[in-house]
Amino acid sequence: MVPSPTRVAALQGLGVPADRLDRLSAALRLPHRRPGSPAGEAFGPSVLLLVGDAGTVEAPDFWQRPFGAWIEVAGLSDAQIIEAAHRAARSDLFACVTTVTANRLHLAGRILNGLAALHPMPEAQRDDMELALHEAISNAVVHGNLQVEGMKGLSVEALERFSHDLAARMADPAFADRRIEVAVWLESASAVVEVADEGTGFARPERIDYGASGRGLDLIAAIVEELQLLDGGRRIRMRFPL
């Protein structure tokens, strides 16, 4: 029997067939939250949104409380969704979406909105955190899942090559359907944020030959309290003071 997640009190579907919602609800032992239901305490502070219609999840309402976890179900088996739901249950905020969706959404801004609702912070601090998270997600999308190299110069040719490669990989389901996962944990004096991709990994060299891009990790390191590259570079962990 699958144990019930601890930080998720209910699930809601968006463009997910009713029979699949029933199966997942039973497997996770989570009640359905019906669309339009009030945020009431019956479901606690965190509802898991299972997204089948990725186009409509851009609506801001779906990124506000009581929602605290988002899983795009396209291409995932029930078992994979259940595994992701348990990762969500161990997080204060959680998102698992395709590369296409992560690229289309301003995902860093959505996550920071959720974090600010849980822990209000000064505007300047929030802006710094959003900048670091945006850079981490961009790296995961472009260099991780799409495996596009950064620009090596400031020439028109370098920009055209980069733009062409990016568009070609985004149009290829083998790359575009890979997953980006963001998880947030609140601690007593800090927030830990992880961004994971499904690329080939990255080992940061001691010396970096910068072109027109490639300074993202240095920017992140200048903002965060602690920075770690895990899983062969496929996951970045950032600790922000609160």
Side-chain angles (χ1 to χ4, degrees):
M1 188 68 68
V2 178
S4 176
T6 56
R7 298 191 190 181
V8 175
L11 62 79
Q12 180 173 323
L14 181 65
V16 180
D19 60 338
R20 191 173 202 192
L21 277 177
D22 288 340
R23 290 198 308 272
L24 293 169
S25 175
L28 291 165
R29 300 182 186 175
L30 289 174
H32 287 186
R33 179 181 186 269
R34 304 298 175 183
S37 298
E41 293 301 317
F43 292 124
S46 188
V47 172
L48 167 62
L49 184 66
L50 300 180
V51 182
D53 185 355
T56 60
V57 79
E58 295 182 32
D61 288 351
F62 292 120
W63 293 87
Q64 298 174 2
R65 299 184 75 179
F67 299 111
W70 303 264
I71 298 174
E72 186 176 356
V73 302
L76 297 182
S77 67
D78 285 4
Q80 289 171 319
I81 295 170
I82 290 168
E83 289 174 3
H86 282 285
R87 293 194 296 276
R90 296 190 293 270
S91 311
D92 291 296
L93 292 169
F94 179 87
C96 177
V97 298
T98 63
T99 306
V100 170
T101 298
N103 186 63
R104 187 177 66 246
L105 290 171
H106 180 29
L107 187 55
R110 306 299 176 100
I111 295 296
L112 258 294
N113 284 343
L115 179 55
L118 295 173
H119 186 96
M121 64 190 76
E123 184 176 354
Q125 182 183 23
R126 174 175 168 167
D127 289 346
D128 282 348
M129 292 178 67
E130 185 173 334
L131 177 60
L133 180 55
H134 175 73
E135 191 64 39
I137 292 172
S138 294
N139 284 343
V141 167
V142 176
H143 307 309
N145 283 357
L146 298 183
Q147 294 177 225
V148 174
E149 293 184 0
M151 291 176 58
K152 299 302 183 183
L154 294 173
S155 66
V156 173
E157 290 79 8
L159 176 60
E160 289 178 345
R161 190 275 305 167
F162 178 78
S163 299
H164 174 271
D165 291 350
L166 197 62
R169 289 293 172 87
M170 195 64 76
D172 184 345
F175 296 94
D177 290 346
R178 288 175 172 177
R179 295 273 155 169
I180 298 290
E181 196 164 284
V182 181
V184 180
W185 298 271
L186 285 173
E187 299 181 349
S188 59
S190 62
V192 178
V193 184
E194 289 189 357
V195 178
D197 62 59
E198 296 182 331
T200 57
F202 171 75
R204 191 180 190 190
E206 292 184 8
R207 294 176 58 86
I208 301 176
D209 182 16
Y210 291 117
S213 60
R215 294 177 172 85
L217 283 178
D218 286 344
L219 174 62
I220 294 170
I223 294 172
V224 303
E225 186 175 67
E226 182 182 7
L227 173 64
Q228 294 177 280
L229 293 177
L230 306 169
D231 295 342
R234 285 177 288 273
R235 183 161 49 101
I236 181 172
R237 177 182 293 164
M238 301 168 286
R239 182 181 298 276
F240 300 90
L242 292 177

